[in-house]
């Protein structure tokens, strides 16, 4: 029994009548229905080995019915699936699907028709992937469909739903189409559809509790579009708008998408702390939704955590700990350990040896330079501590980088005040001014001491100001001295 039969049985159970006696006419109808049912299941048995014969049998069922009924609907549904997934004739499948939509008004229940439409649009949008998972249909591989044909599937669906005034399913259909355009990078079509969705949401009933939820779904599509097109100004605008939505109960996957794009936005601005927080929230949402994207976002979280310079291991939290030994994560776990031990050479080796799990991701690869620079900076600070003078060539050999890159790192450290010294460019040496640093600390301490004494003196002078002034006046008038007791 396939998905089609299960869906139909679910809706049939709610329509069962109990306690009625059936007349002879009813018995005759039952016999006719039994014949059609036999024809239907016989046709289903042919659809994999003899799909053309199955199509003829399904068409015979449709033409044999004087009125539109559930068997005609089911036959057309199976015909659409065979044409699209098995025979890979999307245009013919579209014609059958269009005919099927005329049955949704009266032949079947609204719930069953909605499930059927969603099922068809799923495998149409995914290019046959869903068909492979169900009974081996679509074994010839994914279906290549022209964009115009794909758009027509959704267009005829929207027209049918507009006639039946099914606004809820119409919105869901538009969201499916928007996701399809996003996956196919059809940004012009996607942008237009997003505007239509915003207009539909604005025109909706403000008392509808699902309005905020749908709005977040639209925002999730929009924020992904701006992330992929590198429009960071609009991305930040939509991200902030997402955080202002209150009356919504979104699916955790939607919030995972929004937070992931937010984390990428903060990474682009080099605000590592903000990125780390958003990636953590994204990971928790994906984990709750059971989405495989949680593994990828966990890698982003670890990357942001290291760029922050946080000494706390990101795998110490109860949410991330179960994934510490995941095969896709072990390389990042080793990288974190090397980072905390400040072993820059070990980190470089891990990046080389685990190219597939780390470096093949373009987003991670974009920030590996920042990560290595952070590691090398920490390693350099530890390396120069015991010395007063070092050759730049020696530091370059220790870090396994060019001398110019070493000099660039040192200049940054000197300007930030993390290293006291200067670079002798003629001799290509770093000269550390340890004594000067000590003197500076002494002068700073003396300055604090002087400031404190001046404060004490000022306090004493203010307390004795009145009596001191009178004594001075007497001394001037008498021409002599007076000792104050």
């Amino acid at each position: 029994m396939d998905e089609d039969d299960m869906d139909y049985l679910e809706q049939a159970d709610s329509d069962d009548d109990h306690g009625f006696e059936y007349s002879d006419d009813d018995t005759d109808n039952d016999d006719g229905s039994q014949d059609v049912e036999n024809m239907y299941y016989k046709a289903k048995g042919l659809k994999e080995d003899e799909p053309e014969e199955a199509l003829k049998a399904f068409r015979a069922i449709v033409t044999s019915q004087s009125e539109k009924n559930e068997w005609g609907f089911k036959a057309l549904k199976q015909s659409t699936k065979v044409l699209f997934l098995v025979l890979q004739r999307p245009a013919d499948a579209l014609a059958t699907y269009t005919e099927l939509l005329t049955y949704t008004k009266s032949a079947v229940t609204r719930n069953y028709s909605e499930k059927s439409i969603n099922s068809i649009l799923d495998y149409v949008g995914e290019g046959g992937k869903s068909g492979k998972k169900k009974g081996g249909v679509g074994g010839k591989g994914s279906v290549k469909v022209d964009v115009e044909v794909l758009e027509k599937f959704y267009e005829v669906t929207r027209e049918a739903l507009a006639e039946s005034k099914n606004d809820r399913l119409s919105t869901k259909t538009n969201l499916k189409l928007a996701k399809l355009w996003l996956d196919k990078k059809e940004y012009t079509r996607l942008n237009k559809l997003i505007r239509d969705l915003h207009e539909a949401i604005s025109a909706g009933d403000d008392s509808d509790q699902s309005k905020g939820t749908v709005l977040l779904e639209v925002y999730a599509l929009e924020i992904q579009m701006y992330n992929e097109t590198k429009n960071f100004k609009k991305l930040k605008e939509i991200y902030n708008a997402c955080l202002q939505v209150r009356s919504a109960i979104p699916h955790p996957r939607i919030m995972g998408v929004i937070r992931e794009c937010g984390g990428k936005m903060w990474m682009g601005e080099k605000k590592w702390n903000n990125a780390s927080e958003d990636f953590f929230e994204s990971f928790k949402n994906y984990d709750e939704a059971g989405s495989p994207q949680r593994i990828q976002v966990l890698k982003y979280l670890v990357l942001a955590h290291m760029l922050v310079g946080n000494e706390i291991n990101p795998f110490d939290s109860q949410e991330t700990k179960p994934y510490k030994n995941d095969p896709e994560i072990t390389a990042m776990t080793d990288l974190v350990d090397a980072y905390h031990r400040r072993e820059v050479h070990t980190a470089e080796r891990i990046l080389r040896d685990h190219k597939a799990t780390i470096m093949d991701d373009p987003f991670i690869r974009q920030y590996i330079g920042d990560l290595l620079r952070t590691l090398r900076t920490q390693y350099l600070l530890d390396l120069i501590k015991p010395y007063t003078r070092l050759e730049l060539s020696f530091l370059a050999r220790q870090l396994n980088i060019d001398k110019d890159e070493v000099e660039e790192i040192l200049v940054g450290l000197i300007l930030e005040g993390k290293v006291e010294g200067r670079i002798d460019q003629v001799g290509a040496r770093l000269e550390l001014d340890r004594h000067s640093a000590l003197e500076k600390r002494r002068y700073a301490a003396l300055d604090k001491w002087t400031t404190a004494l001046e404060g004490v003196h000022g306090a004493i002078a203010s307390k004795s100001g009145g009596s001191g002034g009178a004594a001075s006046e007497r001394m001037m008038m008498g021409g002599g001295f007076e000792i104050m007791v």
Side-chain angles (χ1 to χ4, degrees):
M1 186 177 292
D2 68 2
E3 173 203 21
D4 185 44
D5 298 322
M6 289 299 296
D7 288 346
Y8 181 68
L9 285 176
E10 285 177 10
Q11 65 94 24
D13 286 342
S14 62
D15 298 333
D16 284 344
D17 295 320
H18 302 284
F20 289 95
E21 294 182 2
Y22 295 95
S23 65
D24 292 339
D25 291 339
D26 294 328
T27 305
D28 293 339
N29 289 335
D30 287 343
D31 290 339
S33 178
Q34 188 67 43
D35 291 339
V36 175
E37 184 176 357
N38 290 336
M39 290 171 64
Y40 173 77
Y41 285 109
K42 183 180 178 181
K44 279 188 68 176
L46 298 170
K47 67 180 185 180
E48 289 189 26
D49 298 328
E50 299 179 69
E52 293 289 356
E53 292 300 317
L55 284 176
K56 292 178 183 178
F58 286 131
R59 176 51 60 181
I61 293 172
V62 176
T63 56
S64 68
Q65 306 300 301
S66 57
E67 295 180 355
K68 294 177 180 179
N69 59 25
E70 66 273 12
W71 291 112
F73 180 88
K74 293 176 74 173
L76 288 169
K77 181 179 177 181
Q78 290 295 330
S79 297
T80 304
K81 184 178 286 189
V82 170
L83 284 166
F84 192 91
L85 296 175
V86 181
L87 297 175
Q88 300 192 3
R89 285 154 42 189
D92 292 339
L94 174 61
T96 309
Y97 175 65
T98 305
E99 185 179 357
L100 173 142
L101 290 173
T102 64
Y103 281 65
T104 59
K105 297 176 184 177
S106 57
V108 292
T109 65
R110 183 165 178 161
N111 184 48
Y112 180 50
S113 66
E114 285 188 10
K115 285 187 176 181
S116 300
I117 290 171
N118 279 325
S119 173
I120 292 170
L121 292 181
D122 280 343
Y123 65 69
V124 166
E126 294 176 17
K129 291 178 185 177
S130 60
K132 290 181 185 179
K133 300 175 185 176
K134 297 171 183 173
V137 178
K140 293 183 180 181
S142 60
V143 183
K144 292 183 180 179
V145 190
D146 291 337
V147 171
E148 289 74 17
V149 175
L150 278 175
E151 192 168 24
K152 191 66 178 175
F153 266 98
Y154 289 90
E155 186 179 325
V156 296
T157 303
R158 289 201 300 268
E159 289 173 0
L161 294 174
E163 288 181 18
S164 61
K165 294 182 171 51
N166 193 336
D167 294 335
R168 182 176 62 86
L169 185 56
S170 181
T171 300
K172 288 178 67 176
T173 302
N174 282 334
L175 287 170
K176 282 178 180 288
L177 181 57
K179 180 67 170 65
L180 178 63
W181 293 152
L182 179 66
D183 291 341
K184 289 186 168 292
K185 302 187 186 303
E186 293 279 347
Y187 299 123
T188 303
R189 285 184 166 94
L190 174 59
N191 209 16
K192 181 181 182 302
L193 189 54
I194 284 175
R195 286 199 301 270
D196 292 343
L197 281 164
H198 276 300
E199 289 176 6
I201 292 169
S202 299
D205 186 359
D206 290 335
S207 63
D208 187 356
Q209 295 296 316
S210 65
K211 187 174 180 178
T213 303
V214 174
L215 181 60
L216 279 178
E217 288 191 52
V218 176
Y219 279 152
L221 291 164
E222 203 168 356
I223 203 171
Q224 288 178 89
M225 177 180 70
Y226 291 132
N227 179 62
E228 291 180 11
T229 55
K230 309 298 181 186
N231 189 340
F232 297 114
K233 182 180 178 181
K234 291 294 292 182
L235 191 155
K236 194 165 190 175
E237 181 183 317
I238 299 301
Y239 172 80
N240 290 327
C242 290
L243 301 183
Q244 300 303 315
V245 178
R246 294 288 179 263
S247 59
I249 309 175
H251 192 282
R253 183 185 59 80
I254 298 298
M255 291 310 300
V257 168
I258 292 170
R259 289 292 191 173
E260 179 187 352
C261 290
K264 289 180 176 179
M265 175 191 71
W266 295 125
M267 289 286 280
E269 297 180 7
K270 296 190 182 297
K271 295 182 179 179
W272 315 127
N273 268 314
N274 291 354
S276 181
E277 291 172 7
D278 265 358
F279 283 140
F280 185 60
E281 291 300 321
S282 175
F283 167 77
K284 289 195 297 183
N285 279 289
Y286 279 136
D287 194 32
E288 183 182 347
S291 171
Q293 185 64 12
R294 62 191 167 196
I295 298 297
Q296 204 61 32
V297 171
L298 182 54
K299 293 180 185 180
Y300 300 158
L301 170 62
V302 172
L303 175 64
H305 199 83
M306 288 187 287
L307 288 169
V308 169
N310 201 326
E311 294 298 323
I312 300 173
N313 193 315
F315 292 102
D316 286 345
S317 72
Q318 62 179 9
E319 291 89 354
T320 59
K321 190 177 291 184
Y323 298 93
K324 186 174 183 178
N325 297 318
D326 188 285
E328 287 286 315
I329 294 295
T330 49
M332 296 300 286
T333 307
D334 295 339
L335 192 60
V336 169
D337 292 338
Y339 177 85
H340 286 153
R341 294 194 303 269
R342 299 187 179 181
E343 296 177 355
V344 64
H345 302 307
T346 303
E348 289 174 342
R349 178 181 54 77
I350 291 169
L351 291 173
R352 286 194 305 270
D353 295 347
H354 297 86
K355 184 179 179 181
T357 55
I358 300 178
M359 296 299 287
D360 280 356
D361 186 309
F363 179 76
I364 293 178
R365 190 168 60 246
Q366 183 180 349
Y367 295 98
I368 288 299
D370 292 300
L371 177 62
L372 287 175
R373 185 182 177 89
T374 302
L375 263 172
R376 287 165 181 160
T377 300
Q378 293 175 343
Y379 182 82
L380 196 59
L381 286 170
D382 291 339
L383 182 61
I384 66 177
K385 277 182 181 177
Y387 301 98
T388 56
R389 184 182 294 110
L390 298 100
E391 300 288 337
L392 295 185
S393 57
F394 167 76
L395 295 174
R397 286 194 303 273
Q398 293 298 309
L399 288 170
N400 196 28
I401 57 176
D402 294 336
K403 192 164 62 174
D404 291 342
E405 194 171 347
V406 171
E407 185 175 341
E408 184 183 345
I409 295 173
L410 288 171
V411 168
L413 290 171
I414 291 170
L415 292 175
E416 291 172 8
K418 294 180 180 179
V419 170
E420 296 286 347
R422 66 186 185 87
I423 296 174
D424 179 1
Q425 291 186 321
V426 176
R429 289 191 300 266
L430 169 66
E431 296 182 355
L432 296 167
D433 198 352
R434 303 292 187 192
H435 298 297
S436 176
L438 180 61
E439 289 298 321
K440 285 182 180 179
R441 287 197 295 272
R442 285 176 180 169
Y443 282 127
L446 285 171
D447 185 58
K448 287 182 181 178
W449 187 24
T450 303
T451 302
L453 286 174
E454 287 177 350
V456 172
H457 176 266
I460 294 173
S462 64
K463 287 182 180 179
S464 58
S467 58
S472 298
E473 186 178 350
R474 286 195 298 272
M475 285 173 64
M476 290 176 67
M477 292 175 64
F481 296 96
E482 181 178 349
I483 299 174
M484 300 293 297
V485 180

